[in-house]
Amino acid sequence: MDRVALRGLKARGHHGVFPREREEGQTFIVDLVLSLDTRPAAADDDLAKTVHYGVVAEEVVAVVEGEPVDLIETLAERIARTCLRHDGVQEVEVVVHKPDAPITVPFDDVTITITRSRV
């Protein structure tokens, strides 16, 4: 499988278990690696035969900005399902970053990484 990667998608969401997270929201950053066969698209130079990463980016941002969830694990799962709805995408790796997580000690980032594929 070939891979198309989108890194650093940023969106404001209201995810988290604490009231402050739900009320104020925070920035989430998403990295994606979409696995698919790009040979048909390359052979015909045809966007319709690959994944339109601009559309995927917009859909993922809409998920992050959408209905709040308690866990970034749930958010990552929703993002993965959205990506797998695209024809040709056989597998997706999703990394959700929560750099402003409510942690009381100094830290750089909190992430969840999941890999999902068509069954």
Side-chain angles (χ1 to χ4, degrees), residues 10-30:
K10 294 180 184 169
R12 189 155 186 86
H14 294 265
H15 312 289
V17 297
F18 298 111
R20 182 175 173 197
E21 293 178 290
R22 292 294 183 106
E23 293 165 11
E24 296 177 14
Q26 60 193 292
T27 299
F28 292 84
I29 303 166
V30 178

Side-chain angles (χ1 to χ4, degrees), residues 53-81:
Y53 51 79
V55 170
V56 172
E58 290 171 359
E59 291 173 353
V60 168
V61 166
V63 171
V64 174
E65 293 175 342
E67 181 184 348
V69 296
D70 288 343
L71 303 176
I72 59 173
E73 291 86 344
T74 306
L75 181 60
E77 192 69 37
R78 287 182 178 180
I79 292 168
R81 282 194 307 249

